Amino acid sequence: MNSTNDTEFLAERFEESRSHLRAVAYRMLGSLSEAEDAVQEAWLRLSRSETDEVVNLGGWLTTVVGRVCLDMLRSRTARREEAMEDGLRLPDPIISSEDGVDPEHEALLADSVGLALLVVLESLAPAERLAFVLHDMFAVPFDEIAPVVGRTPAAARQLASRARRRVQGSAPVPDPDLAQQRRVVDAFLAAARGGDFDALVAVLDPDVVARSDSGSLRPFTVVRGAEAVARQASMFAKAAGTARPALVNGAAGIVATVDGKPFSVLAFTIVRDRIVALDILTGPERLGQLDLTVLGH
C-alpha cells in the first residue's frame, strides 16, 4: 500500500483505534510516555506493512502494540538487571477532576485500572503481563497471543492463568462508590492533619500497604501495617501544603501542593471502608510530567 489514498485511509483507520491502543499500551507499560511511543511505533509498522489481507485491522493493531510493548518490557527488565537494582517504580498515575473524567482518559481508565493493580502488573514477567492484559482485559484469543510470545496457545493460556492468580491474590477490588471513597479519604486526611493517631489507624486496614516512589531522590519504599503507615501519614501531613481532591486512576485521591507546585500524588485503594493500599508519588521529575491543569486553580 503505497498510494496517497491508501495511506490516508490507513491513517484514518489507525486514528479510530488510537485510544484503544493507548489503553492497551498503558496497561502493558504503566507509563504514559512509553505508551505513546508504543502506539507511534505501531503506526510505523502499519505504514510499512502489506495489510490487504488483514481482515480485522483493529485486532491486528492490538497484537502489534502488544508485541512492541513486550519488546520494551524485556528491554526494561534487562536494563534493571544490568544496573543490579530492583528497578521498582510506581506506574504513572492518571489525574482527573472529581467533576468528571477527562474524555481523553476515559479509555485509559476503562475497567477501573487502579494504581494498585498496575503495581501488581509491574511485578509480572513480560510474557505473563502480555497474556493477561491482552486476554483478560481486551479479550484477545490465546491463538492470537501465542505467536506474540512465541508459545503455543496452551502455554499462552498458562501464562495468563499464572498472572491472574497473582493479580487476584495481590490486587484487591476497590469499593465502587466514589462518594464513600471520598469520605474515607477525607477522614484519613483529617486524622493525619489533626494528629489523631487512633482515628488514623481506624481508617486503615490492619494489613494496609503503603508504597512510595520518590524517583531518584530515594529508593522505592514499602511500609506495611496500620500503625507503621499511620506514623508515615502523620509525617506526610506535616510536610504537605494544600491537599486538593482529585481522581487518581478513577478513584478518590489527593494531589498535595506546596507553594502552588505539586508535592505528591496519593492514590487510595479502599475496600469495605478501609484503606488497604496507599500509593504515593513524590519524585519531582515524575510529578513535573503530570498534567494537573485538569484540577483547575
Side-chain angles (χ1 to χ4, degrees):
M1 279 194 162
N2 296 324
S3 75
T4 301
N5 287 343
D6 287 339
T7 301
E8 288 178 355
F9 173 73
L10 276 182
E12 289 174 6
R13 294 289 305 280
F14 184 82
E15 286 306 317
E16 291 171 4
S17 299
R18 181 181 288 275
S19 62
H20 164 76
L21 298 176
R22 285 182 69 227
V24 173
Y26 176 61
R27 286 156 180 73
M28 280 293 299
L29 301 167
S31 164
L32 293 169
S33 61
E34 288 183 1
E36 288 290 356
D37 291 344
V39 171
Q40 189 58 31
E41 175 62 24
W43 162 248
L44 292 175
R45 294 191 185 190
L46 173 64
S47 64
R48 295 194 297 257
S49 299
E50 293 291 338
T51 56
D52 294 345
E53 297 179 7
V54 174
V55 176
N56 178 2
L57 186 61
W60 186 86
L61 284 169
T62 297
T63 55
V64 167
V65 165
R67 192 183 301 274
V68 171
C69 291
L70 184 62
D71 291 343
M72 293 171 76
L73 284 177
R74 286 171 170 163
S75 174
R76 184 194 292 175
T77 302
R79 288 198 306 273
R80 286 176 181 171
E81 289 173 353
E82 287 171 10
M84 298 298 287
E85 298 172 354
D86 56 22
L88 290 174
R89 68 193 286 276
L90 278 185
D92 289 345
I94 297 175
I95 312 298
S96 306
S97 166
E98 289 208 318
D99 296 333
V101 178
D102 186 301
E104 187 179 332
H105 291 157
E106 279 184 4
L108 285 176
L109 291 173
D111 309 320
S112 299
V113 185
L115 278 193
L117 171 58
L118 286 169
V119 168
V120 178
L121 294 183
E122 287 279 312
S123 72
L124 299 176
E128 289 177 348
R129 187 169 185 172
L130 180 131
F132 177 79
V133 168
L134 290 192
H135 181 267
D136 285 42
M137 293 184 166
F138 295 98
V140 176
F142 286 117
D143 59 357
E144 294 179 22
I145 295 172
V148 180
V149 293
R151 312 280 180 94
T152 65
R157 184 185 298 275
Q158 288 181 331
L159 288 172
S161 179
R162 280 205 301 269
R164 195 178 305 119
R165 286 196 297 272
R166 178 83 68 86
V167 169
Q168 290 171 345
S170 306
V173 179
D175 295 343
D177 187 335
L178 271 176
Q180 181 58 21
Q181 285 183 24
R182 176 53 58 193
R183 284 190 285 271
V184 173
V185 171
D186 288 347
F188 165 89
L189 194 59
R193 288 186 156 170
D196 191 336
F197 189 79
D198 291 340
L200 198 47
V201 169
V203 82
L204 298 170
D205 185 88
D207 298 319
V208 62
V209 56
R211 294 171 286 250
S212 179
D213 186 343
S214 302
S216 58
L217 293 180
R218 200 172 69 225
F220 184 94
T221 59
V222 179
V223 177
R224 300 180 187 276
E227 293 194 359
V229 172
R231 284 192 290 272
Q232 185 187 59
S234 298
M235 290 187 292
F236 161 81
K238 293 174 184 173
T242 302
R244 304 166 70 182
L247 293 181
V248 182
N249 282 58
I254 294 171
V255 174
T257 59
V258 174
D259 298 330
K261 295 181 180 179
F263 173 77
S264 60
V265 172
L266 282 74
F268 297 81
T269 304
I270 297 166
V271 178
R272 292 186 291 277
D273 296 336
R274 295 282 189 90
I275 298 167
V276 300
L278 176 57
D279 292 296
I280 309 164
L281 182 65
T282 59
E285 65 280 0
R286 297 276 305 280
L287 291 172
Q289 295 170 5
L290 299 178
D291 178 13
L292 301 180
T293 59
V294 293
L295 300 182
H297 298 286

